[in-house]
Amino acid sequence: GNSVTQMEGPVTLSEEAFLTINCTYTATGYPSLFWYVQYPGEGLQLLLKATKADDKGSNKGFEATYRKETTSFHLEKGSVQVSDSAVYFCALSATGNQFYFGTGTSLTVIP
Amino acid sequence: DAGVTQSPTHLIKTRGQHVTLRCSPISGHKSVSWYQQVLGQGPQFIFQYYEKEERGRGNFPDRFSARQFPNYSSELNVNALLLGDSALYLCASSLEDTSRAGELFFGEGSRLTVL
């Protein structure tokens, strides 16, 4: 079946620290992979995506590379800011019309 | 343009009651999906509708039902509420029917508490 496993939080970092949030997946077929972010008081919004192996998605300084050989899609940012504090969800879409989400990783960035 | 709008934002019900949640998609979007997000968990797929037809159903009991109207808005209905139905219910709209490459646009959700 389809599923996503992401590292548990919460994660607390100092401003300008390096961020990695791990995400691995199990899927039938050839999934598309996504990172969604939920800022406090707001709805989920797409951060970045990759639709095939070796694609790199990037947005707002965040990057993730679709690694088929390790079934991973880890989220990275070189220098986090206080405004990056949010909950991050890894997700996949394979066959059919549904998205499968991980449990979310809460990130707090302190000045 | 307005984003995905959901109503009500918060509601409290008692066990055994019925609830109806409403969603208006982004203008031009013909696909609406519903997700349940229990506290501390990721969203779980409930239904997807495209052009007023059900295109997908998640692993939820028959107490959950939905429909999509000619203007592409949607309702999620839950009968015989249980305590475990307490959750944030998210509506998402998208341009496309298939989701492989498409982006979901989420509303802020309806927070249901069942007492």
Side-chain angles (χ1 to χ4, degrees):
Chain A
N2 300 311
S3 67
V4 172
T5 302
Q6 63 181 103
M7 68 183 275
E8 295 187 10
V11 174
T12 302
L13 294 174
S14 297
E15 207 164 22
E16 299 183 2
F18 184 84
L19 169 72
T20 299
I21 301 178
N22 290 335
C23 171
T24 57
Y25 68 89
T26 303
T28 54
Y30 302 94
S32 293
L33 300 174
F34 304 82
W35 278 99
Y36 276 80
V37 58
Q38 190 169 35
Y39 297 104
E42 298 183 19
L44 277 164
Q45 55 188 275
L46 179 68
L47 179 60
L48 54 84
K49 69 178 183 182
T51 58
K52 61 183 187 296
D54 300 325
D55 269 2
K56 178 185 283 188
S58 61
N59 186 26
K60 298 182 181 180
F62 291 88
E63 292 183 340
T65 301
Y66 186 164
R67 301 285 188 203
K68 189 163 180 272
E69 62 276 12
T70 55
T71 62
S72 65
F73 193 55
H74 304 321
L75 182 68
E76 297 182 335
K77 186 174 186 182
S79 175
V80 294
Q81 305 300 312
V82 172
S83 58
D84 294 326
S85 297
V87 181
Y88 293 82
F89 292 90
C90 185
L92 74 82
S93 177
T95 57
N97 299 317
Q98 68 181 87
F99 279 62
Y100 297 83
F101 287 86
T103 54
T105 302
S106 175
L107 170 67
T108 301
V109 180
I110 54 177
Chain B
D1 283 343
V4 176
T5 57
Q6 293 187 242
S7 64
T9 55
H10 295 83
L11 68 166
I12 299 174
K13 294 285 189 178
T14 56
R15 281 177 296 175
Q17 285 190 312
H18 164 90
V19 68
T20 297
L21 307 177
R22 295 177 175 85
C23 172
S24 292
I26 291 172
S27 177
H29 286 192
K30 298 179 180 179
S31 174
V32 169
S33 300
W34 287 95
Y35 285 79
Q36 181 196 64
Q37 187 177 12
V38 173
L39 195 63
Q41 300 294 317
Q44 296 286 317
F45 175 74
I46 310 176
F47 287 109
Q48 189 235 350
Y49 279 78
Y50 180 77
E51 287 279 17
K52 301 179 286 296
E53 291 187 0
E54 182 182 302
R55 294 301 185 100
R57 172 186 281 258
N59 188 24
F60 280 81
D62 291 343
R63 300 184 295 107
F64 288 76
S65 63
R67 54 181 176 167
Q68 187 177 32
F69 299 99
N71 66 354
Y72 303 110
S73 67
S74 178
E75 280 183 356
L76 175 70
N77 294 283
V78 188
N79 292 324
L81 285 167
L82 303 174
L83 294 179
D85 296 330
S86 295
L88 181 67
Y89 288 85
L90 297 169
C91 175
S93 74
S94 61
L95 278 169
E96 301 170 4
D97 180 18
T98 57
S99 56
R100 272 204 77 248
E103 175 182 351
L104 292 180
F105 294 82
F106 284 88
E108 293 186 24
S110 294
R111 172 76 62 188
L112 171 65
T113 301
V114 182
L115 301 177

